[in-house]
Amino acid sequence: MNKTDLTRLLEEVARGTMGVNRAAQHLFNLPYEDLEYACVDHHRSLRKGFPEVIYGEGKTAGQIQGIMEKIISREAVVMATRIDPEKAAQITAAIPGTTYHTDARILIWQNQKPAMTGRGTILIISAGTSDIPVAKEAALTAQLMGNRVDTLFDVGVAGIHRLLDHRERIQSATVLIVVAGMEGALPSVVAGMVARPVIAVPTSIGYGTSLGGLTALFSMLNSCCSNVAAVNIDNGFGAGYMAACINRA
Amino acid sequence: MNKTDLTRLLEEVARGTMGVNRAAQHLFNLPYEDLEYACVDHHRSLRKGFPEVIYGEGKTAGQIQGIMEKIISREAVVMATRIDPEKAAQITAAIPGTTYHTDARILIWQNQKPAMTGRGTILIISAGTSDIPVAKEAALTAQLMGNRVDTLFDVGVAGIHRLLDHRERIQSATVLIVVAGMEGALPSVVAGMVARPVIAVPTSIGYGTSLGGLTALFSMLNSCCSNVAAVNIDNGFGAGYMAACINRA
Amino acid sequence: MNKTDLTRLLEEVARGTMGVNRAAQHLFNLPYEDLEYACVDHHRSLRKGFPEVIYGEGKTAGQIQGIMEKIISREAVVMATRIDPEKAAQITAAIPGTTYHTDARILIWQNQKPAMTGRGTILIISAGTSDIPVAKEAALTAQLMGNRVDTLFDVGVAGIHRLLDHRERIQSATVLIVVAGMEGALPSVVAGMVARPVIAVPTSIGYGTSLGGLTALFSMLNSCCSNVAAVNIDNGFGAGYMAACINRA
Amino acid sequence: MNKTDLTRLLEEVARGTMGVNRAAQHLFNLPYEDLEYACVDHHRSLRKGFPEVIYGEGKTAGQIQGIMEKIISREAVVMATRIDPEKAAQITAAIPGTTYHTDARILIWQNQKPAMTGRGTILIISAGTSDIPVAKEAALTAQLMGNRVDTLFDVGVAGIHRLLDHRERIQSATVLIVVAGMEGALPSVVAGMVARPVIAVPTSIGYGTSLGGLTALFSMLNSCCSNVAAVNIDNGFGAGYMAACINRA
Amino acid sequence: MNKTDLTRLLEEVARGTMGVNRAAQHLFNLPYEDLEYACVDHHRSLRKGFPEVIYGEGKTAGQIQGIMEKIISREAVVMATRIDPEKAAQITAAIPGTTYHTDARILIWQNQKPAMTGRGTILIISAGTSDIPVAKEAALTAQLMGNRVDTLFDVGVAGIHRLLDHRERIQSATVLIVVAGMEGALPSVVAGMVARPVIAVPTSIGYGTSLGGLTALFSMLNSCCSNVAAVNIDNGFGAGYMAACINRA
Amino acid sequence: MNKTDLTRLLEEVARGTMGVNRAAQHLFNLPYEDLEYACVDHHRSLRKGFPEVIYGEGKTAGQIQGIMEKIISREAVVMATRIDPEKAAQITAAIPGTTYHTDARILIWQNQKPAMTGRGTILIISAGTSDIPVAKEAALTAQLMGNRVDTLFDVGVAGIHRLLDHRERIQSATVLIVVAGMEGALPSVVAGMVARPVIAVPTSIGYGTSLGGLTALFSMLNSCCSNVAAVNIDNGFGAGYMAACINRA
Amino acid sequence: MNKTDLTRLLEEVARGTMGVNRAAQHLFNLPYEDLEYACVDHHRSLRKGFPEVIYGEGKTAGQIQGIMEKIISREAVVMATRIDPEKAAQITAAIPGTTYHTDARILIWQNQKPAMTGRGTILIISAGTSDIPVAKEAALTAQLMGNRVDTLFDVGVAGIHRLLDHRERIQSATVLIVVAGMEGALPSVVAGMVARPVIAVPTSIGYGTSLGGLTALFSMLNSCCSNVAAVNIDNGFGAGYMAACINRA
Amino acid sequence: MNKTDLTRLLEEVARGTMGVNRAAQHLFNLPYEDLEYACVDHHRSLRKGFPEVIYGEGKTAGQIQGIMEKIISREAVVMATRIDPEKAAQITAAIPGTTYHTDARILIWQNQKPAMTGRGTILIISAGTSDIPVAKEAALTAQLMGNRVDTLFDVGVAGIHRLLDHRERIQSATVLIVVAGMEGALPSVVAGMVARPVIAVPTSIGYGTSLGGLTALFSMLNSCCSNVAAVNIDNGFGAGYMAACINRA
């Protein structure tokens, strides 16, 4: 159910062809569908501005396909994250119009390009080359949710001049996503350069005391700059989603 | 040894055909069998109301089969948990009447359907689709121990209306098992809605700071509701077993 | 609001003197009171069978007193946990009829003795002398919620005969609470002796690798017996509450 | 140095009374003052839209006073966080016009009320009464940075109806800050109700497996909702600051 | 170099055919051989009563073979632990007289049976069937070092009668090794029954909060009995070795 | 009950003046006394060769005194550990003949000097001056249990020659206790020099990554020497007790 | 850009053929090349004395090759670490003159042997045979950066005489790198013997409480000797690099 | 014993007035003094170039004084770290010429100023004002060991221009010590600017996920720059000592 559907329903209420209580009931309780293994939440696009996104891990290809088909029947876009290539192959074969983004491990079906509704530009910065897949997951998500996205990869603090050289691009973004593993220092340095909100994404890149990304995460949460908030380790999708919510006009 | 066997023995004692000391000895010490690699505890069904359940991890198919055969010779039901498909294939081939439940990774042999002896209904709720295997392990266990079981899957807190919509089913259960990974918030919300005991089962679903289920577990142990107790991560069997003990008339 | 109030309200609905919608609204939304620093949940005794219990830590004596007075105006019993002696002194001075239980750090006001509505007896076992305060918190809670409570203190596994000597009392309880710090082995041993549900309560007693109770907790969650579920470290209150929910007829 | 100072400087450049290089030098390098124990960053209000905020922990009252005086000489507002009452007393005595907020442990000097420049309203929700000090730290920070702030305290998930009752206020906020200790479930539930960005603030309220707030933090980072990002444990200041950056028109 | 070699050397010193300094030098410095990738410590059997034992993990089959051959040239027994079947096959093919113990993952070469020089009997107890490989590693080590060994498997605390039934065997051992995973409660219970030293061996058997054996280890270190000391997780070899040192006449 | 009492009882059985069953009952069940807050285990000195030792932490001075008096009525020696000076003062005033050892925080009452029944000498080595209190707790315990004890303090690995200089004393001990904080390297070095069992005691001395003694403990459990087993952090008492059990002739 | 290039540039500045500002710009900002997936930092060899080293993990063979080719075009040596054999095969086939060091997992291209510019000798010591790959990574790095390197393998503290035997070699090194897993005691012992700086490298060799190398690392950071600093677990490269920086004449 | 004493001894050997063996014995074994509670290592200044430094934590003022007096009798300088003001007052009263440095918590006695024997300058940088005490501990240590020391305080990455402004001072140091708490990003940024070795010192400044300094430490060990090695949390002394060893001509 999107805003158009909603408007129609509300007009019926205004015309008296639908009672207020029934409408409220309809809006709050009905819009989910029980697939036995999943309760598809059709109400979500109304409540949150974007339809339910499918988290692929721990679900079979068949389950993912089933949920996607239910959403496709009502929405203009569907997105599934953390999809490995095998599941992707099965699903793209079964649902025409679905595209798989290998790096970002994201599956997308859409029946039209998303309108660019966000303000300005969301800039996505990665500290290293190995952090790029997570950065791309963020970029794809933000774009799909209607934002202009710019990227700046491999500008970690080991050579701070590479970063300073892009000061202008950095300072003109409306929201920034900074992706870094290892010591996770980059979000602090970037946040120190801008007044805008920075979403920090720790990655599991590193070894030993990187502790699978916990060190980068804890670093980011201890940033000496305060325009920083963090999402879960390797959660590019969440960062893109949060940035899009912030950037909504 | 079940209650019938026990009664017979006690009658012999009453008739004087068996001495008290010998009977006591028999009851307390004898009923286990030493297989060299396992001490099968035949006394357990008397002491605990259900025969010994075999924990499959770290045991060979041959060892599991050996223990099952010993229990089968004395009991009406045998259950083995955490059995992978390879071991299951070997054992079901060797012991007729054994059924393998793939999702729940449980192997069951029984010579009759269990009588429904529990009170009311045990309701098993899962937060997500990926938590279903653990939920099914709980469901199967509770059923086998003589309980009516109802299930409600994929009703996590991201769309709280899906949960509220089932308020009646939730409030009419006698015991509830709530299975959730990631942030593990669902048991708190459910427990806030009922007066009945809630068994919380954390799952290892999630990544990054889900810490393999520790975060969900710790969340559940910190529930702001007090009708909640937790079992180990992914321990659907334990939750089903505990719920059955609680639900015994 | 208790069951009597509720019945009265429902009778008004049956007589038509109150509309269904208004009643539903009343039941679901109204029964809490906003004190600015607290939303007292008067609906809880209806929903959960016992009024809201106040968690004392992090609240001032004034805040606790304010919440207690609001609950007293509507309920027959009020309970506040984790109250230190200083706050207790202030509050007992301000609210006549309030009793402070030093060991258990619990504050109770009640206008009548609770009816003994639970089945059989809840047995509370502690491994050591140092675990007694937590055991008493559990005992007091279960009693206040209408249960007969029996206790067995200092019967840890270092001298297993002390435990076995009480086999009869142990096997005749309807629910058991086992409180242990250090290695937390006692709940496993007790659970192996009974068919009834065991609530395990880890305590922070110990040093070094007891890790403030985490070791005892993890031990209990790994119990080789399955009729065990655990509550948070030192959470005697939660164990008593959960046992009472289980023991409700 | 604020925007007015900057404009003046740039005009000198345009008039040719100041060379470009000297201006660049001035802007980038000069605006900090070396107090031996601190490099006061006067450039920050230009770069970040708000002057340097003093982190009080580990600094002596004398050091804090010294830094405040330097900032006061150039800015309209100064803020110091994590100030205990003893230091606060010393500093308020030494610097007229300074106010100490006991709950939030914040010290503020300002020579005029901040203009309300943010969009809409920032709503700050706390799960429990004990979380209020952290919530107030967030509220004070966001207000000082030019935002309208609304608060909703003690609406944790144990009584979900208290939260649902405020659905309208929740859904009309432009940014939300949700403060919770223990299991940290509240941000997930709130984020599921809105399309706006939610800043989650874990608190150290709780005991045992709350692990000083780590459990709440990890819960929040594993939220099944994606419009959530987290700040450090008890970091109300950071949450307020981040929310203000997001809410800037 | 064994005691016979040593005696010969010392006699030469007594006869004056070898200077004291040269002898000291010989004894302290010489007896190791540099293989470039390993310094084989031939002095060890003199200093410690048993030749160097090879830790197989992280070494190639070729390196292990090389070190074994050097030791064989001087000693009556060689032992290598943590050898996987592939490496074992290569080495047993290359060095005649070498035996591989699959369960215990130990490789042994000896040119004569070890004399039984230990006192009484070392009893090795395992809590479960899955703990047997670690228990066998301990048994094999203790036997090779000259001790009579008895075993008692699968007598965990879930059925305490299985353990009590063997009280006599347990109380007649001179040293006990108790192997347990999961909650690690067995060493405490056994130690409570005897006056002899108990070596506790935690295993990595279990899941979730067993934390790969850390919980069992911490449990054992917190034993309420004091005749217990622990070795590393899954370190059956170390337990057998320590028990043999204790049991030396 | 000590060996003399036991012999008397058995003689009655032999003479027929006490039935076998009654005697068995007496031996297994009776010898503990219920003080309500403690079950004093009088059977322990028979079963374990030394009477119950009181763990002082978490017990009141009154409780400790009560337990001591009960044990004194039946045994020749009583020992209480982890007693702070305040409790010690109260108890020594109440029970004549009790001595407090300040460093070791141990309270001892004995009616005669213990006979030196252990073999050879137990050597207690400490890495640093700060580890001495724990070392003294071990020394006192071992002495009280009938052993000759020698000590060697402040010989950590920073100056390895201090240790090597005592090679003879080290190699002539029958059991060794090595106490070390910080990196916990000393037990490995000592164990490499001897064939005898080494009990390693980690201490909480250190800061930062010493993690309250966990690093020293983990180091000791990973010793490249195998004649080492560890006790809990700061557990000098346990080390002395274990060494005495090992050293029993 | 190396020192020769730099000198040329500065001479142009001196001659006036290049302006100061342009030169500064050139030096600070330009020398990196954007490959879209990587910003190759050509400035590094000037700033740090050695060209950018490629961290292979998480990069494709194609990305590594691309970066290597860009560096080869400007530098005399290129180094890539953590390269698995498959990637190595691809890259050595594509870039002539590249050598793969299997043990150290390092890929090197150089157009001339490095001049030996370091002082004295860097000595690399390993505790065990299993630590050799990490030690070789350190050795190769230090050599490539112009140092004489000596090695001493398998001289762990279990046989301290093997170490003491090499006292002279140890005391004559200018910098020492000590590589150890398990209990990580070796760096402390070595550092106690010398006045020179010791770089400690923990390895992930071990099991159980070695915690993947964390125990060795924490041990080293708690060394009772102060001429020790540590690098990350298994970071042989970093140790070699740091030693080379220290050893620079 | 210093170099002069040593030369005298060796001359005696050369003249034949002292035998080689006796001299060796003297040098290796003798130079420590047993105070019962401490083995003062007089050999250390010969072996390590600086006399034994006393770690004050866990030692009584009396013990510290005793050790200091022994060292004073043979050396020109004595240093004791981690001394609280109470102990300092006692000791400075007892030993004339002793100075207490409050910030650094260091106690120093010296009979002459140390000669400046180090190369160039050691630069000590702190990220924040709160890190200064640790930085001063490092500075004092390095100075006492004969080095010129420069400091740069409060130049954290939140305002990177403060750091860049000092590029020249930073690049001209021979060794750098960088002290930082919270996210610990500063050492990476500094190390990226220089070719010299950087000693990173994490501090416990921060809260929540700073984990008492572990996050800063892990960050530093994961630095994307390789000319960095770390010491323990808050270990300013160790950093100063290590830097002095590196900087020795």
Side-chain angles (χ1 to χ4, degrees), chain H residues 170-198:
Chain H
I170 290 170
Q171 287 175 342
S172 67
T174 48
V175 183
L176 299 101
I177 293 173
V178 184
V179 182
M182 293 177 165
E183 82 268 66
L186 192 59
S188 283
V189 175
V190 170
M193 297 166 67
V194 302
R196 294 292 182 175
V198 172

Side-chain angles (χ1 to χ4, degrees), chain B residues 23 45 48 222:
Chain B
S45 76
K48 316 238 343 193
N222 275 288

Side-chain angles (χ1 to χ4, degrees), chain D residues 72-101:
Chain D
I72 286 170
S73 69
R74 299 198 179 204
E75 306 283 352
V77 62
V78 188
M79 186 174 172
T81 64
R82 307 224 156 207
I83 306 294
D84 60 44
E86 290 69 32
K87 291 183 192 169
Q90 259 182 277
I91 299 167
T92 49
I95 307 182
T98 304
T99 313
Y100 182 56
H101 299 260

Side-chain angles (χ1 to χ4, degrees), chain F residues 129-130 154 158 162 165 209, chain H residues 32 37-39 47 57 232-233:
Chain F
T129 298
S130 311
D154 192 30
R162 293 181 299 193
D165 195 38
T209 58
Chain H
Y32 67 89
Y37 56 82
C39 283
R47 212 166 66 239
E57 232 153 76
N232 197 4
I233 297 163

Side-chain angles (χ1 to χ4, degrees), chain C residues 28-29 31-32 36-41 43-44 47 52 55 57-59 63 67 82 214 217 232-235, chain D residues 128-130 132-133 152-155 158-166 169 182 205-211:
Chain C
F28 194 70
N29 285 324
Y32 67 87
E36 183 176 2
Y37 56 81
C39 282
V40 184
D41 184 3
H43 184 259
R44 200 164 295 184
R47 211 167 65 239
E52 184 171 356
Y55 172 68
E57 232 154 76
K59 295 196 181 70
Q63 289 175 331
I67 302 173
R82 307 224 156 208
L214 281 174
L217 169 64
N232 197 3
I233 297 163
D234 291 332
N235 189 7
Chain D
T129 299
S130 311
I132 292 179
L152 197 49
F153 293 156
D154 192 29
V155 293
I160 201 85
H161 64 291
R162 295 180 298 193
L163 188 72
L164 298 178
D165 195 40
H166 294 287
R169 266 164 87 194
M182 292 177 165
I205 293 300
Y207 60 91
T209 56
S210 84
L211 302 178

Side-chain angles (χ1 to χ4, degrees), chain A residues 128-133 152-155 158-162 164-166 169 182 205-211, chain G residues 28-29 31-32 36-41 43-44 47 52 55 57-59 63 82 214 217 232-235:
Chain A
T129 299
S130 310
D131 302 316
I132 293 179
L152 198 49
F153 293 156
D154 192 31
V155 292
I160 201 85
H161 64 292
R162 293 179 301 191
L164 299 178
D165 194 39
H166 294 285
R169 264 164 91 193
M182 292 176 163
I205 294 299
Y207 59 92
T209 56
S210 84
L211 301 179
Chain G
F28 193 68
N29 285 324
Y32 68 86
E36 184 175 359
Y37 56 82
C39 283
V40 184
D41 184 2
H43 184 259
R44 200 164 297 183
R47 211 167 67 238
E52 183 172 357
Y55 172 66
E57 233 154 76
K59 295 197 181 72
Q63 289 175 331
R82 307 225 154 205
L214 282 173
L217 169 63
N232 197 2
I233 297 163
D234 291 332
N235 190 6

Side-chain angles (χ1 to χ4, degrees), chain A residues 71-88:
Chain A
I71 302 178
I72 284 171
S73 69
R74 299 197 180 206
E75 305 284 354
V77 61
V78 188
M79 186 174 174
T81 64
R82 307 224 156 206
I83 305 294
D84 60 45
E86 290 71 32
K87 291 182 191 171

